[in-house]
Amino acid sequence: MTRPFTGWHMLALMIAFFGLVIAVNVLMACEAIATFGGTVVDNSYVASQRFNGWLAAARAQQAVGWRATPSVDGRGRLHLLLVDAQQARVVGRVAVTARHPLGGLPDRVLTLHSDATGYVAEQPLPSGRWLLRIDATAAGRTAHFEDEVRS
């Protein structure tokens, strides 16, 4: 003997269905908020007004002819090779800021000292992916680089 399908059965099915939909939506919203890395620019209109200036700065950077090559050793210390267009090592002042791409860890300003192979950070980076902002000044010229490393 089969039991008839009643309004209580329909109510249970509707509650189960919408409960599952709401649970999945809450889970997805929590994951989205936890992994949100921020915005690329805070105001797209202002960024569009500055775009030509950014292009001019990129052309000036290219005219300097310097190239920065970052790497991380086995102990997590950042190594930086800075060379000019003739592949000669550039010696000057270098400042590096390491930023976690998702903002999970605070920015780190690295102190680098010069050695025989280039520049070496005094303190190691925690493991993970890091976005680097490299500012170099030598012989009255300045260059800015952005790169990333994994430690």
Side-chain angles (χ1 to χ4, degrees), residues 36 73 85:
F36 179 62
D73 65 17

Side-chain angles (χ1 to χ4, degrees), residues 39-96:
T39 57
V40 175
V41 293
D42 291 329
N43 186 325
S44 58
Y45 176 75
V46 172
S48 71
Q49 300 302 307
R50 295 180 180 167
F51 184 72
N52 288 337
W54 292 339
L55 286 178
R59 281 192 219 80
Q61 168 77 21
Q62 206 167 22
V64 171
W66 294 352
R67 193 177 78 234
T69 307
S71 62
V72 177
D73 65 17
R75 295 187 299 177
R77 293 187 319 159
L78 176 71
H79 291 259
L80 179 68
L81 177 62
L82 184 62
V83 295
D84 62 14
Q86 291 76 34
Q87 303 302 312
R89 190 170 149 225
V90 175
V91 178
R93 193 180 58 120
V94 176
V96 176

Side-chain angles (χ1 to χ4, degrees), residues 15-32:
I15 290 173
F17 173 76
F18 284 107
L20 178 65
V21 169
I22 291 170
V24 168
N25 283 337
V26 167
L27 174 69
M28 297 300 275
C30 291
E31 288 297 315

